[in-house]
Amino acid sequence: MARIFCIANQKGGVGKTTTTVNLAAGLALVGQRVLLVDLDPQGNATMGSGIQKRDLPLTVYDVLLESATIQEAAQRSTSGGYDVLGANRELAGAEVELVALERRNERLRQALKAVADDYDFVLIDCPPSLNLLTLNGLCSAHGVIVPMQCEYFALEGVSDLVNTIKQVHANLNRDLELIGLLRVMFDPRITLQVNVSDQLKAHFGDKVFNTVIPRNVRLAEAPSYGQPGVVWDPTSRGAIAFIEFAREMVEREMSPALAAR
Ligand code: ADP
Ligand code: MG
């Protein structure tokens, strides 16, 4: 049975897509079967996986409107070694269309049930807001991975998101939990970042992942080559960190306490 995770943060530009794409490729490199779901109409995760969003015959939009299954709509990322349920601008319209439909929060959850045995991990790249698309992600998932930069207002933003997760847990999806906070674009030379990182650990304890993703230009360059950073330059510091993070996720998911679930 696949373990399903949303990569979410209501802020834009914090590293959600970079995390989703590189964790997907990192998990594939350590032998996991992975499906990446792009829930952002910008389609950056789709493009970053080497799939042309404009050429897609079917996308997550068709799956949400129940005119296609995931098996029909998913494409293979040959560079990444994982499958992608892609998105493009068409998805922006889905929000409006979904409002009028029944079970509008649960479309993705339903669709994922049919492929649960085909994957070990499903990673959902969320848009930077709490809309119906993100809600479909949160209603489908076992947990949320929150990439964040260690900046001054970061803690405030995270507590908003933690409240959202609690509300979805209480009202819509009893499985949902905060899996962890991932420190990204980290620069240890910046005192403020080190201080915020220490505060995070003091406040959230073991909900802060051990792995830290450094600021590394190779990760930013990779999407223009249609490749995840871990594939484009496996020796870069950013790639090494994401492979380490993939290992941390696998170990976490294979721990005895979790296996009892
Ligand atoms: P989001 O999906 O949250 O909007 P992105 O993953 O698209 O954020 O990242 C925003 C920008 O920061 C992108 O240009 C991306 O290439 C860059 N970026 C993300 N992570 C890193 C990193 N660890 N080092 C350097 N640049 C990064
Ligand atoms: Mg993004």
Side-chain angles (χ1 to χ4, degrees):
M1 279 284 271
R3 294 282 294 159
I4 305 174
F5 301 108
C6 281
I7 291 71
N9 187 322
Q10 70 276 31
K11 281 178 74 175
V14 291
K16 290 181 293 297
T17 299
T18 305
T19 299
T20 313
V21 166
N22 284 287
L23 179 58
L27 287 168
L29 279 175
V30 298
Q32 304 295 305
R33 300 168 301 161
V34 183
L35 172 68
L36 184 159
V37 178
D38 192 351
L39 264 188
D40 189 333
Q42 290 185 68
N44 292 347
T46 304
M47 296 292 281
S49 302
I51 293 166
Q52 288 302 318
K53 59 185 178 185
R54 286 177 199 84
D55 300 342
L56 283 173
L58 294 167
T59 68
V60 66
Y61 170 86
D62 301 280
V63 171
L64 290 171
L65 295 183
E66 295 179 344
S67 56
T69 65
I70 293 178
Q71 266 165 332
E72 288 164 344
Q75 304 262 331
R76 187 73 178 166
S77 165
T78 44
S79 60
Y82 53 86
D83 289 348
V84 177
L85 179 56
N88 54 31
R89 285 181 58 193
E90 200 181 27
L91 182 61
E95 253 232 289
V96 182
E97 291 170 64
L98 279 171
V99 171
L101 302 176
E102 58 187 24
R103 299 177 292 102
R104 56 181 181 260
N105 298 329
E106 292 182 14
R107 297 294 177 114
L108 185 61
R109 190 218 298 249
Q110 277 303 328
L112 282 170
K113 279 184 187 164
V115 295
D117 289 331
D118 299 339
Y119 300 103
D120 301 304
F121 286 90
V122 176
L123 303 178
I124 304 172
D125 187 25
C126 291
S129 57
L130 182 64
N131 56 22
L132 254 180
L133 296 172
T134 305
L135 212 49
N136 262 276
L138 295 176
C139 286
S140 309
H142 299 111
V144 185
I145 295 168
V146 182
M148 55 181 298
Q149 288 170 261
C150 290
E151 288 174 342
Y152 187 60
F153 289 115
L155 277 169
E156 217 171 299
V158 171
S159 53
D160 288 347
L161 186 57
V162 168
N163 283 333
T164 301
I165 293 169
K166 281 186 185 152
Q167 282 182 24
V168 173
H169 173 89
N171 299 303
L172 298 167
N173 176 8
R174 298 301 288 181
D175 291 339
L176 191 71
E177 58 171 335
L178 171 67
I179 301 292
L181 307 173
L182 177 67
R183 291 162 286 171
V184 299
M185 299 190 224
F186 192 75
D187 185 343
R189 292 167 303 183
I190 301 175
T191 311
L192 174 67
Q193 293 204 8
V194 175
N195 290 345
V196 172
S197 170
D198 289 344
Q199 281 176 26
L200 273 182
K201 279 191 281 188
H203 196 268
F204 288 98
D206 62 4
K207 290 283 182 194
V208 182
F209 289 111
N210 294 328
T211 310
V212 177
I213 309 296
R215 182 172 285 283
N216 179 237
V217 70
R218 303 301 264 172
L219 292 172
E221 287 167 357
S224 58
Y225 299 92
Q227 292 185 15
V230 299
V231 176
W232 160 243
D233 184 357
T235 61
S236 64
R237 283 165 54 243
I240 290 166
F242 269 115
I243 291 168
E244 193 179 305
F245 180 47
R247 291 217 169 88
E248 185 177 352
M249 282 299 296
V250 171
E251 264 167 41
R252 192 191 172 282
E253 289 307 310
M254 291 195 324
S255 80
L258 289 167
R261 279 185 309 218

